[in-house]
Amino acid sequence: MTLHSERLSADIDIDVVGGQRVLVLRATDLDAFEGFEGRRFDAADNRIIEGPLSETNAAALRREFTHLQPRPLGTGTSAGVGDRLGLATPGQAAAFARHGRGVTPVFAQQSIREMDRLGRSPRAVLDDATFGCVIAGWTGRVGADLDHIRDVADIDRGIDAGFTTFTLDPGDGVRNVASSAVEAAVTATNWSVLEDDIEAVLRRYAGVTVGLDTGSFTPSEQEVKRAVAKYGDAVALTAQMSRHLASRNPNAYEIEVAVDETAVETTLFEHHYLATELARLGVRWVSMAPRYSDGFEKGLDFIGDKPTLIENFAGHHAVAQLHGGYKISMHTGSDKFSVYPQLVEATAGRIHLKTSGTSWLTALAVIARREPALLREIYRLSLESYVDARASYQVSADAERAPRLDAVSDGELEEIVSLPDSRQILHVGYGAVLTATDDAGHRRMDADIREVLLTHRDEYALRLESHIGRHLTAFSEGAVS
């Protein structure tokens, strides 16, 4: 593809040379490419740089071609499409180009939990997305989201890598307490960070009616105390992380607040309490992910009560409108095809979609077709690790119900990737698969998986374009800027 900057244009490819992927730049004048590392030589009317897919070259690409630089996205319709392997961006970008008009993409998106599980760094995630955009010829805006941050040290890692969206997850401060324990939890709340006390909180909220477009609520004193017991420390933790981010980051950035990975649904009053208290402490954010009504699970369509969910989203959107009009963020968003149109409508397009594992599952479908023996090993490891792996995710798969390998022919293997139980087992088994080692301590499957996907990269990209495109269609139809 040809990329243009203010100073020059160059034809840039990522090719396979000698079994290694390399960056190839062709232009009549390469003097401007001082930051690129690699072999320089002349060929016909062009000068050429042939170099590695390295941190140095990814940074040089972003420096020279500004559209590759991640930016804050604001409150317009957007979608994050994570990539556990660093190979999915070309197909994902094709999906946005064809099906995601008006939806701003976040290609560099991964949680700290997943990065640490796989031994990836935030910089590697961003660099892989940059190279993927080059392969795809993507020239639109991009974001970069460091997801589910629970510690200020993780914020520093994201800043150093160049991320622009920081999803602050104060889940460690969320308390699901019994009614009999509310008073004790209120007393134990971190009031010094909150710069507050329970009497002042009760004056602000108890008996005060809040009117929304979808109705109104008037919290009782007990409801206010429960909100403090449940979310008071989460507010304090978010404020501390936000202040650290502001003190450390010299660049433009934005914040998402996520309390979705908790046990109990966030009520509309609790959302109002969170928003009011965060704003009082100086936190500014562009999106929030409450804990919605039950029915969100990894890799499956929504399995709960759809009218309740739609009402839930409309209510949370109404609270967001009351507090400035930020987006509602839909985590565990992969494959919820039956509710996308209604949720986009319920939020008037002020919505952010997060997907991740569905691109991994698409990769496994390619492997099932092209290398059945490898898929069998991936499935075996995923089954063995399921009891431990499921602890971090919303899944309900039963290993006893899942297909047995000895009962599935090679021609039927692709069905394992789509059947509910085996799909979820494969979804959460990535950590055990990609970090499995041989007797010498070398990762024994990671390289094989990548080789299959690179050999069949066109097929992988086409499958991703189709599958991610199914996600984006409804968001594009209701997109707002």
Side-chain angles (χ1 to χ4, degrees), residues 387-427:
V387 171
D388 292 332
R390 67 178 299 172
S392 302
Y393 296 97
Q394 292 169 275
V395 290
S396 61
D398 186 340
E400 296 298 320
R401 292 195 307 256
R404 290 175 25 242
L405 280 174
D406 58 7
V408 180
S409 69
D410 283 356
E412 298 169 324
L413 268 182
E414 204 169 327
E415 294 182 19
I416 286 180
V417 185
S418 59
L419 294 172
D421 289 296
S422 49
R423 184 173 178 81
Q424 288 196 328
I425 289 167
L426 287 166
H427 192 297

Side-chain angles (χ1 to χ4, degrees), residues 201-223:
V201 173
L202 291 172
R203 287 195 296 271
R204 286 199 295 277
Y205 297 107
V208 177
T209 298
V210 177
L212 305 173
D213 290 342
T214 56
S216 63
F217 52 77
T218 307
S220 66
E221 179 176 317
Q222 190 60 28
E223 286 175 309

Side-chain angles (χ1 to χ4, degrees), residues 226-259:
R226 176 169 287 280
V228 172
K230 184 176 178 181
Y231 287 118
D233 283 348
V235 170
L237 181 56
T238 304
Q240 289 174 320
M241 289 192 287
S242 173
R243 289 166 182 170
H244 180 80
L245 177 57
S247 70
R248 275 278 288 116
N249 198 344
N251 304 310
Y253 68 90
E254 62 190 9
I255 286 173
E256 174 170 307
V257 179
V259 292

Side-chain angles (χ1 to χ4, degrees), residues 84 113-114 117 298 360 381-397 424-433 435:
R84 292 170 176 170
R113 172 184 61 215
E114 287 191 3
R117 188 169 290 178
K298 296 292 184 182
W360 162 250
L381 278 175
S382 298
L383 275 169
E384 289 178 356
S385 64
Y386 179 60
V387 171
D388 292 332
R390 67 178 299 172
S392 302
Y393 296 97
Q394 292 169 275
V395 290
S396 61
Q424 288 196 328
I425 289 167
L426 287 166
H427 192 297
V428 302
Y430 69 93
V433 170
T435 59

Side-chain angles (χ1 to χ4, degrees), residues 294-297 300-306 336 338 396 424:
D294 286 339
F296 280 88
E297 291 197 5
L300 304 182
D301 205 337
F302 182 70
I303 60 176
D305 183 76
K306 293 177 184 177
K336 308 300 184 287
S338 67
S396 61
Q424 288 196 328

Side-chain angles (χ1 to χ4, degrees), residues 21 53 79-94 96 105-136 143-147 163 298 334 353-364 367 393 427 430-431 434 443 446 449-450 453-454 457 460-461 464 468:
R21 289 201 303 164
L53 301 191
V81 281
D83 179 9
R84 292 170 176 170
L85 294 165
L87 300 174
T89 299
Q92 295 168 341
F96 276 91
V106 181
F107 299 121
Q109 172 200 276
Q110 192 165 36
S111 68
I112 288 293
R113 172 184 61 215
E114 287 191 3
M115 289 184 202
D116 290 345
R117 188 169 290 178
L118 296 176
R120 294 182 86 193
S121 67
R123 180 62 185 271
V125 172
L126 181 57
D127 290 351
D128 286 337
T130 295
F131 291 128
C133 285
V134 171
I135 294 171
D145 180 6
L146 195 68
D147 201 11
F163 278 70
K298 296 292 184 182
S334 301
L353 171 69
K354 287 199 179 186
T355 76
S356 178
T358 202
S359 293
W360 162 250
L361 293 169
T362 303
L364 297 186
I367 293 169
Y393 296 97
H427 192 297
Y430 69 93
L434 293 174
R443 292 193 179 186
D446 186 44
I449 290 169
R450 292 174 187 281
L453 296 176
L454 288 172
R457 55 188 176 273
Y460 184 35
L464 280 171
I468 298 299

